[in-house]
């Protein structure tokens, strides 16, 4: 959004198409000089009026509720500042980490904060009727019915102005008065060589018969624009060609480009921005931890965030859930931490089994998949986005607490999103290499009224066939259909990925982008920004898959509990491998077999206690905000970003980095 | 004006219309195209499924929908022409169904319905179930016995002490005149390898069947082979053969194709002397091959001690594989069958983002005696626009 703002601001204030014409057009001569206020020409008129209007709005008018426009940088209000002015619904010790600039208004539903935002600069461009009256030259404010823009548009300029204040834009001659007066016609204002009638001038004596002005004379007190300046000298000689061909071409081409740009921008705002804003740039709501000494809630402070590409070590948490959480708090069946060391080009994936027993802050000991669900439930609201942010925050905290791994970013994926993407692509056509038989396949997608722990049976016939979204998900997820375990599963995933990316690689991918984003909307949530996505996408596409270390904390890193279905961590095994993978001194909290409910209160780790002050948090927020303003948002950014979002989704669904490589 | 008029006239009269497909209404599911050119003419009736509904297309290109909302797969018409058998799938199970060829309400022949129940022995709490898969029914010449694929024997702990989800579908037979009698196990599969598929009786030889077996070989390599077997061998030799894991399973099936190549979906020619099958060339391309049927590999009435899986017999089973001849290769070529008179073959192929039915004229090479396709005889019969169920085999009857 801010990128868009910068782009538009630039086009209006710094590098207008008119400016690009200035050097060439300023070389022309024989241009009538008009007062500075009367700088004319379509573009200059437009810029003047729009900028004036915007300045006027910026100083007085609030942005309408729901507007996604952003203020000029000088008038921007940081997220933190807005939060100060209008407290977020997330109150108390809770805070929203990195609730980025793409956060939609839905996540900060506070009208007070919004009304304090500067005006929407993305408002459609309008004709200058909105221009304040005082900004108009008094000579042209002749009649309230006078459509100046129309008059300008119908009076193409023939020369470029030599007036430096005109920016060298093509300058219109005295505008031909359009037929806006009753009982008049445009012929009344003609003044061509050879005319025998008196020239158009305010000095023409009233009452003298003059057929050309007969109608005008009937309108006492109405004077044509520019009448006080008399007729331009250039019009007093022989008739010249009004508009050079090259100027027509440049003007037309510029208008065409503006039209295209406007269309693309409108398309982006209508079709892409709403979904994109709901997916990326979200936050992670961290819950208060309770000190082990006195039970006093302790705010963790903001976690310092910086652009992923500027960090040497990046840890991204991928959370995969069965449902979108519309009916119940979803579990996170997939908990994968991707770690990237930019210096050594090391990439690792740590899969934490959903059944691993961990210490969940403020929730005692439980399964890893429950951490996300508890966070969701603790938030307790009806907004799935906010609930997911809380779930992600608690999942991050849980991993930090239990393994000492700091999470920089997260992405939460609902498996139903994968189904939708496949269906949007029209399904995939694959050759099922052998019959897929599974009696204990998780029935956790589109299982209305059922339990997340339900099972279902699969029997997928072998041979070439078309798979729709649900079938494709079944095909790539089943684990019991191959004696060769994950090798066979990986092979199936590669099949589907190849088929899917083959379909998405078609020329109409760009046209599919909005629908793909809509498919992901509600099923994919991340605190990453487009810059982060570009970074991750680049890493994913260039990584050597053979060098990716994939560790799953299944046995021998864990051992089955003797009393329930949990797996208890074997710290002597986990600590070394996590330390090696993440370049840290890993933590590991031993778990007790058979524990249930709230267990011992988790002590705060130094990481949280050394939390940044609120001032620091503001600085970090501003710093982060300024960083993502950098590059302009282009269609390539969006398309690439969408593809990286798809890659993230596929990596989460397949629990493999291969998904982003195909 | 004249040009516009000419175009309108041309369009109205169909002059210059190169679209060979005649639009056919498929009910609520929309339309498909059926090739109406002379090259695509065929005799008899072709049964197939569109969007899991059963249709029949006759030689006059009349398309008739026979079922609605039953998730139908693999229809098969009895030799006497009275019945259509097919599988009807549900979320956790499938049923074997019968319906008259003249139309009418389908009747359930065998149900695979069941339920999940707790399995305390599972460390992960995975339950067991009594649901069953019943699929791919095919008729014996007597129009009474059916071969089908099923995991009906699951939950039966055999000598190999393996059950539950590791029991992949194998081949059984049943009589429609006595549907309550427990079906007879015809061929065993190796647990966990995918099971057996594509069974059929050899025409003129009711003591021989053919099917595809899915197994893993050394180094976890996928082995897909075509087998022949005496359907009564297991019943006639109790405690000789048993289902189970690769190291325990034993079955009288004799492979007739090499394990080094993936061959599947066999189909006997009407005279029973040739097998038409699919060979997987790569991830997306398949070929159609024919091979002569090896004789005498499933049993010897003169030798009561005949061992079908003796090394000598196994070698005999592979003896004809080298005589396989390639008919064609293409994208996702699959599900080949013969026309009742043996002059054509039907297969599925993939083009324009859609699976479709193709037919071709097949004949014997006058010099070699091997089957070949008549040049330029391959023709796309349907333009199903993605509605054809490629995992459901068609059936061609008189």
């Amino acid at each position: 959004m801010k990128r868009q703002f910068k782009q538009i601001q630039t086009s209006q204030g710094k590098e207008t198409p008119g400016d690009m014409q200035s050097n060439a057009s300023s070389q022309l001569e024989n241009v009538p000089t008009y007062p500075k206020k009367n700088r004319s020409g379509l573009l200059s008129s437009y810029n003047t009026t729009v900028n004036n209007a915007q300045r006027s709005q910026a100083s007085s008018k609030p942005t309408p509720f729901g507007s996604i426009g952003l203020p000029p940088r000088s008038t921007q209000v940081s997220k933190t500042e807005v939060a100060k002015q209008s407290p977020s619904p997330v109150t108390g010790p809770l805070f929203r980490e990195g609730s980025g600039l793409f956060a939609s208004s839905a996540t900060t539903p506070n009208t007070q904060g919004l009304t304090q935002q500067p005006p929407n600069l993305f408002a459609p461009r309008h004709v200058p009727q909105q221009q304040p009256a005082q900004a108009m030259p008094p000579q042209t404010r002749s009649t309230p019915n006078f459509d100046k823009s129309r008059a300008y548009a119908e009076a193409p300029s023939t020369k470029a102005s030599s007036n430096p204040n005109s920016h060298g834009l093509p300058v219109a001659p005295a505008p031909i008065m359009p037929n806006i007066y009753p009982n008049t016609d445009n012929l009344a204002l003609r003044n061509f060589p050879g005319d025998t009638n008196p020239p158009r001038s305010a000095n023409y004596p009233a009452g003298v018969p003059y057929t050309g002005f007969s109608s005008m004379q009937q309108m006492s007190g109405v004077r044509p624009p520019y009448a006080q300046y008399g007729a331009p000298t250039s019009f007093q000689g022989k008739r010249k060609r009004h508009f050079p061909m090259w100027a027509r071409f440049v003007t037309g081409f510029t208008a065409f480009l503006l039209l295209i740009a406007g269309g693309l921008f409108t398309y982006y705002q209508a079709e892409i921005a709403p979904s994109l804003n709901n997916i990326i740039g979200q936050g992670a709501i961290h819950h208060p931890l309770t000190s082990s000494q006195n039970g006093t809630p302790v705010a963790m402070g903001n976690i310092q965030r910086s652009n992923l590409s500027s960090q040497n070590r990046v840890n991204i948490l991928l959370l995969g859930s069965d449902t979108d959480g519309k009916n119940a708090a979803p579990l996170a069946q997939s908990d994968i931490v991707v770690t990237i060391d930019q210096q050594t080009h090391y990439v690792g994936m740590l899969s934490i089994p959903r059944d691993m027993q961990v210490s969940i802050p403020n929730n005692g000991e439980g399964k890893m998949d429950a951490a996300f669900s508890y966070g969701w439930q603790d938030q307790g609201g009806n907004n799935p986005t906010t609930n997911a942010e809380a779930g992600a925050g608690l999942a991050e905290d849980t991993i930090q607490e239990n393994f000492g791994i700091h999470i920089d970013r997260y992405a939460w994926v609902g498996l139903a999103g994968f189904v939708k993407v496949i269906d949007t692509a029209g399904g995939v056509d694959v050759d099922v290499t052998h019959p897929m038989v599974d009696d204990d396949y998780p029935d956790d997608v589109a299982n209305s009224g059922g339990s997340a722990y339900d099972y279902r049976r699969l029997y997928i016939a072998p041979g070439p066939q078309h798979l729709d979204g649900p079938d494709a998900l079944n095909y790539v997820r089943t684990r019991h259909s191959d004696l060769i375990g994950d090798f066979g599963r990986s092979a199936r995933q590669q099949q589907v990925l190849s088929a899917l990316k083959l379909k998405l690689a078609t020329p109409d991918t760009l046209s599919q982008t909005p629908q793909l984003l809509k498919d992901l909307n509600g099923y994919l949530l991340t605190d990453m920004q487009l810059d982060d996505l570009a970074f991750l996408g680049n890493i994913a596409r260039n990584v050597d898959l053979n060098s990716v270390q994939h560790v799953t904390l299944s046995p021998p890193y864990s051992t089955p509990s003797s009393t329930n279905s949990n797996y208890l961590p074997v710290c002597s095994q986990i600590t070394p491998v996590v330390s090696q993978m993440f370049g840290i001194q890993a933590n590991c909290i031993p778990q007790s077999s058979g524990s249930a409910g709230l267990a011992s209160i988790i002590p705060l780790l130094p990481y949280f206690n050394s939390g940044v002050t609120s001032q620091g948090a503001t600085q970090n927020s501003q710093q982060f905000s300024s960083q993502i303003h950098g590059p302009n948002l282009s269609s390539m950014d969006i398309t690439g970003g969408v593809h990286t979002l798809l890659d993230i989704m596929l990596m989460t669904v397949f629990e493999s980095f291969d998904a982003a490589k195909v | 004006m004249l040009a516009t008029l000419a175009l309108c006239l041309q369009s109205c009269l169909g002059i210059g219309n190169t679209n060979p497909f005649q639009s056919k209404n498929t009910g609520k599911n929309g339309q498909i195209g059926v090739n109406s050119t002379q090259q695509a003419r065929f005799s008899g009736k072709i049964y197939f499924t569109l969007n899991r509904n059963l249709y029949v297309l006759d030689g006059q290109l009349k398309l008739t929908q026979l079922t609605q909302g039953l998730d139908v797969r693999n229809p098969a018409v009895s030799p006497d022409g009275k019945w259509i058998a097919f599988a009807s799938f549900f979320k956790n199970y499938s049923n074997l169904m019968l319906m008259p060829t003249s139309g009418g309400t389908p009747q359930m022949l065998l149900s695979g319905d069941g339920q999940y129940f707790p399995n305390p022995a599972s460390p992960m709490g995975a339950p067991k179930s009594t649901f069953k898969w019943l699929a791919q029914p095919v008729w014996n010449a007597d129009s009474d016995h059916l071969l089908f694929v099923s995991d009906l024997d699951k939950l039966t702990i055999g000598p190999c002490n393996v059950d539950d989800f590791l029991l992949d579908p194998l081949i059984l037979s049943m009589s429609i005149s006595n549907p309550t009698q427990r079906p007879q196990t015809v061929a065993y599969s190796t647990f966990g390898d995918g099971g057996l598929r594509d069974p059929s009786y050899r025409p003129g030889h009711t003591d021989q069947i053919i099917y595809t077996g899915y197994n893993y070989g050394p180094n976890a390599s996928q082995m897909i082979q075509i087998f022949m077997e005496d359907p009564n061998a297991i019943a006639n030799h109790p405690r000789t053969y048993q289902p189970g894991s690769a190291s325990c399973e034993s079955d009288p099936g004799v492979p007739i194709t090499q394990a080094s190549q993936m061959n599947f979906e066999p189909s006997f020619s009407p005279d029973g002397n040739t097998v038409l099958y699919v060979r997987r060339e790569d991830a997306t391309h398949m070929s159609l091959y024919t091979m002569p049927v090896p004789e005498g590999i499933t049993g010897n009435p003169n030798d009561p001690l005949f061992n079908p899986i003796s090394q000598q017999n196994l070698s005999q089973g592979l003896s004809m594989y080298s005589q396989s001849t390639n008919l064609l290769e293409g994208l996702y070529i699959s599900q080949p069958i013969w026309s009742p008179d043996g002059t054509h073959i039907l297969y599925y192929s993939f083009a324009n983002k859609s699976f479709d039915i193709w037919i071709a004229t097949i004949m014997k090479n006058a010099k070699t005696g091997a089957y070949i396709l008549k040049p330029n005889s391959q023709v796309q019969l349907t333009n199903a626009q993605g509605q054809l169920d490629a995992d459901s085999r068609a059936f061609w009857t008189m």
Side-chain angles (χ1 to χ4, degrees), chain A residues 429 431 439-440 443 457 483, chain B residues 91-92 116 151 154 280:
Chain A
D429 303 290
D431 176 24
D439 258 31
D440 292 321
D443 188 16
R457 304 180 76 228
L483 281 188
Chain B
K91 182 176 181 179
N92 291 316
Y116 272 106
D151 56 355
K154 67 185 291 186
R280 179 176 291 134

Side-chain angles (χ1 to χ4, degrees), chain A residues 430-442:
Chain A
V430 298
D431 176 24
V432 177
T433 55
H434 66 279
M436 297 284 128
V437 186
D438 190 347
D439 258 31
D440 292 321
Y441 179 82

Side-chain angles (χ1 to χ4, degrees), chain A residues 46-233:
Chain A
Y46 169 77
N47 287 327
T48 301
T49 54
V50 170
N51 287 334
N52 285 341
Q54 289 169 346
R55 280 192 289 272
S56 174
Q57 288 177 351
S59 61
S60 61
K61 293 182 179 179
T63 301
F65 179 78
S67 167
I68 53 178
L70 290 174
R73 188 169 301 177
S74 60
T75 60
Q76 288 172 16
V77 179
S78 72
K79 190 83 177 180
T80 308
E81 291 167 349
V82 171
K84 288 178 182 176
Q85 297 164 1
S86 56
S88 165
V90 181
T91 58
L94 302 187
F95 70 95
R96 184 188 304 275
E97 177 199 335
S99 48
L101 301 172
F102 285 85
S104 67
S105 58
T107 61
T108 55
N110 191 306
T111 55
Q112 183 182 356
L114 288 173
T115 54
Q116 292 173 352
Q117 290 182 7
N120 177 13
L121 297 185
F122 295 150
R125 300 174 178 182
H126 293 299
V127 293
Q129 284 90 333
Q130 296 178 348
Q131 183 177 3
Q134 61 271 24
M136 294 289 287
Q139 295 82 355
T140 59
R141 290 187 288 114
S142 56
T143 171
N145 291 328
F146 177 59
D147 187 343
K148 179 185 172 189
S149 64
R150 183 181 170 201
Y152 285 8
E154 293 178 0
S157 86
T158 56
K159 302 290 184 182
S161 171
S162 59
N163 185 341
N165 294 324
S166 71
H167 291 236
L169 293 174
V171 177
I176 299 173
M177 180 63 73
N179 188 15
I180 58 173
Y181 301 102
N183 304 320
T184 62
D185 61 54
N186 288 334
L187 293 177
L189 299 179
R190 279 186 179 181
N191 186 18
F192 295 126
D195 282 352
T196 56
N197 296 321
R200 288 181 297 173
S201 170
N203 297 325
Y204 188 78
V208 176
Y210 175 46
T211 54
F213 264 101
S214 58
S215 299
M216 185 68 77
Q217 288 172 329
Q218 296 172 8
M219 302 181 64
S220 59
V222 176
R223 301 171 64 195
Y226 307 105
Q228 62 176 318
Y229 307 113
T233 53

